[in-house]
Amino acid sequence: MQFSSHDNTTNANIYQLEKNSKIYIAGHRGMVGSAIYRKLQKEDFTNIITKTSSELDLRNQQAVADFFSTEQPDYVFLAAAKVGGIVANNTYRADFLYENLAIQNNVIHQSYLTGVKKLMFLGSSCIYPKLAPQPLKEEYLLTGLLEETNEPYAMAKIAGIKMCDAYRAQYGCNFISVMPTNLYGYNDNYHPQNSHVLPALIRRFDEAKKSNASEVVIWGSGTPMREFLFADDLAAACYFLMQTYNEPHLINIGTGEDLTIKELALTIAAVVGYKGELNFDSTKPDGTPRKLMDVSKLHNLGWKHQIELKEGLKLAYQDYLSKI
Ligand SMILES: NC(=O)C1=CN([C@@H]2O[C@H](COP(=O)(O)OP(=O)(O)OC[C@H]3O[C@@H](n4cnc5c(N)ncnc54)[C@H](OP(=O)(O)O)[C@@H]3O)[C@@H](O)[C@H]2O)C=CC1
Ligand SMILES: C[C@H]1O[C@H](OP(=O)(O)OP(=O)(O)OC[C@H]2O[C@@H](n3cnc4c(=O)[nH]c(N)nc43)[C@H](O)[C@@H]2O)[C@@H](O)[C@@H](O)C1=O
């Protein structure tokens, strides 16, 4: 193992993923983790290890230490987290901060102790300042105040980025941080209150269509802008970066295209086949006015998304229908 200087530059040993490398996907039943699992299976990886949260609670320091010292994974995708939409983030503020810090502290530290060759930490676009210039460049991290509704979650994610960088700088660990934009896809969370906007509206429009409701409630003003990436595209980007990217700091993953929440609602209504009216509920928070990712760093490395929003929405709606 090489020792690094304190300037956070890349001094970690670089290894190549092998088809029989032991790969731990933390959070493999979630939307992102299951997409990464599918991708690795498709690429013929033969030694993927997984645990559900009831088999291994990643908040439990001793349990995580025992797991890592027994299993000794070579590579780790850290896709386990407490995740939710704007109201869940704002309501369960303590849980979002505590649980995410605990999970990432345990997994990152034990990965260091057991000599994991490379770890990928998944952050989120909410780490950027609420009113940062658009599109969001990686260097805008910590240049302004965060959006209030998800500040605890964002603080945990920022700590995760800094932790990966600190372990790289002090111990030469090849731990990388990727920042996905808002995601959707198979195995999404369709909870009426706690989910993100896209799955929430798929459900609400589908229920309204089936009950012949004359209107559908959309939270907030409908004017905030969001960018959406299909989770299987995200998994492909994670796989690409796990093979090719070995730098400190962070890298954005997104499409580089966004739309208003009203436009999103109208697009989902068309995919679902709902023909009634939209009713905007101004008692609900808007959150950040816009968070469009600058994806030039990722594009320059040679990766671009494949699944456009309309196509992804059809796939997500089919998945929703297959599960209700
Ligand atoms: N969804 C989105 O729009 C975005 C997500 N991200 C990031 O991507 C990552 C994955 O998110 P996503 O797939 O959507 O989330 P999900 O809620 O779909 O999945 C989260 C997974 O984490 C696991 N998990 C949660 N708590 C624990 C725990 N205490 N111990 C062990 N496992 C636990 C769950 O395991 P189990 O099923 O076994 O209970 C679950 O499978 C997160 O880091 C998130 O911050 C980033 C940007 C946007
Ligand atoms: C991924 C990202 O997700 C969260 O941030 P967010 O982007 O604000 O997430 P959201 O999907 O919940 O909302 C997007 C917009 O949509 C509006 N909106 C309309 N109607 C519904 C609705 O029915 N549900 C929800 N949730 N939002 C709705 C809502 O009012 C807001 O203006 C972070 O907390 C954090 O978790 C994070 O990193």
Side-chain angles (χ1 to χ4, degrees):
M1 182 67 75
Q2 295 171 8
F3 292 97
S4 89
S5 59
H6 293 285
D7 63 358
N8 256 3
T9 51
T10 305
N11 272 341
N13 281 341
I14 311 298
Y15 299 88
Q16 287 306 314
L17 267 176
E18 312 275 352
K19 296 292 178 189
N20 64 352
S21 297
K22 198 169 199 180
I23 305 176
Y24 170 45
I25 306 172
H28 73 289
R29 286 200 305 186
M31 181 172 68
V32 169
S34 62
I36 293 173
Y37 191 91
R38 280 194 298 281
K39 176 66 181 167
L40 293 181
Q41 278 194 318
K42 199 172 149 214
E43 299 291 338
D44 295 327
F45 283 85
T46 55
N47 199 0
I48 306 170
I49 47 173
T50 58
K51 290 276 180 200
T52 66
S53 60
S54 40
E55 291 165 342
L56 173 63
D57 184 344
L58 293 171
R59 296 168 300 184
N60 181 328
Q61 189 179 35
Q62 189 59 54
V64 178
D66 293 345
F67 169 76
F68 271 83
S69 67
T70 306
E71 292 292 347
Q72 304 266 338
D74 297 314
Y75 293 87
V76 174
F77 288 92
L78 178 40
K82 182 160 184 69
V83 178
I86 190 166
V87 163
N89 268 268
N90 201 20
T91 308
Y92 309 110
R93 299 177 74 86
D95 299 349
F96 273 78
L97 185 56
Y98 168 71
E99 294 190 27
N100 286 318
L101 283 173
I103 291 169
Q104 67 204 39
N105 281 350
N106 290 336
V107 173
I108 293 171
H109 187 64
Q110 294 304 327
S111 294
Y112 149 62
L113 287 179
T114 57
V116 164
K117 291 175 179 162
K118 185 167 181 179
L119 172 145
M120 175 180 286
F121 170 68
L122 281 104
S124 160
S125 57
C126 69
I127 51 113
Y128 290 111
K130 174 175 182 157
L131 300 177
Q134 305 287 320
L136 297 161
K137 294 183 191 299
E138 284 86 355
E139 62 259 32
Y140 296 163
L141 176 68
L142 291 173
T143 56
L145 294 177
L146 296 166
E147 154 62 23
E148 173 67 9
T149 51
N150 57 34
E151 190 185 66
Y153 175 78
M155 292 294 286
K157 293 293 186 186
I158 292 169
I161 298 168
K162 293 298 176 186
M163 202 161 165
C164 289
D165 284 351
Y167 279 70
R168 175 185 294 277
Q170 186 175 346
Y171 298 121
C173 300
N174 193 10
F175 294 172
I176 63 170
S177 298
V178 302
M179 296 306 117
T181 191
N182 290 35
L183 305 169
Y184 68 106
Y186 305 127
N187 299 323
D188 209 341
N189 167 15
Y190 290 94
H191 189 281
Q193 300 300 320
N194 293 337
S195 64
H196 292 104
V197 60
L198 194 152
L201 293 188
I202 285 181
R203 176 174 177 166
R204 211 169 295 142
F205 280 117
D206 183 66
E207 288 176 352
K209 181 177 90 170
K210 287 172 178 159
S211 66
N212 288 318
S214 59
E215 63 172 41
V216 162
V217 171
I218 312 293
W219 295 357
S221 63
T223 59
M225 300 190 76
R226 292 292 184 272
E227 172 185 1
F228 296 95
L229 179 70
F230 198 72
D232 286 68
D233 266 342
L234 185 262
C238 289
Y239 176 60
F240 172 76
L241 293 170
M242 197 58 143
Q243 290 171 299
T244 56
Y245 181 82
N246 300 295
E247 291 176 29
H249 311 308
L250 57 161
I251 181 164
N252 292 337
I253 306 179
T255 64
E257 298 155 18
D258 63 355
L259 75 176
T260 66
I261 294 300
K262 182 177 178 183
E263 288 165 341
L264 174 74
L266 291 170
T267 310
I268 296 176
V271 167
V272 170
Y274 175 75
K275 298 195 167 45
E277 303 293 318
L278 307 184
N279 177 6
F280 292 93
D281 176 1
S282 60
T283 66
K284 291 286 196 299
D286 268 345
T288 307
R290 193 177 186 195
K291 45 175 177 170
L292 176 65
M293 292 295 215
D294 184 322
V295 283
S296 43
K297 191 170 168 182
L298 185 59
H299 284 182
N300 289 339
L301 289 173
W303 189 89
K304 191 176 183 300
H305 74 283
Q306 306 234 306
I307 302 166
E308 298 301 340
L309 182 61
K310 195 102 183 249
E311 181 193 350
L313 281 174
K314 287 180 191 159
L315 297 173
Y317 183 44
Q318 289 310 314
D319 187 55
Y320 169 77
L321 290 176
S322 75
K323 296 207 164 109
I324 54 170

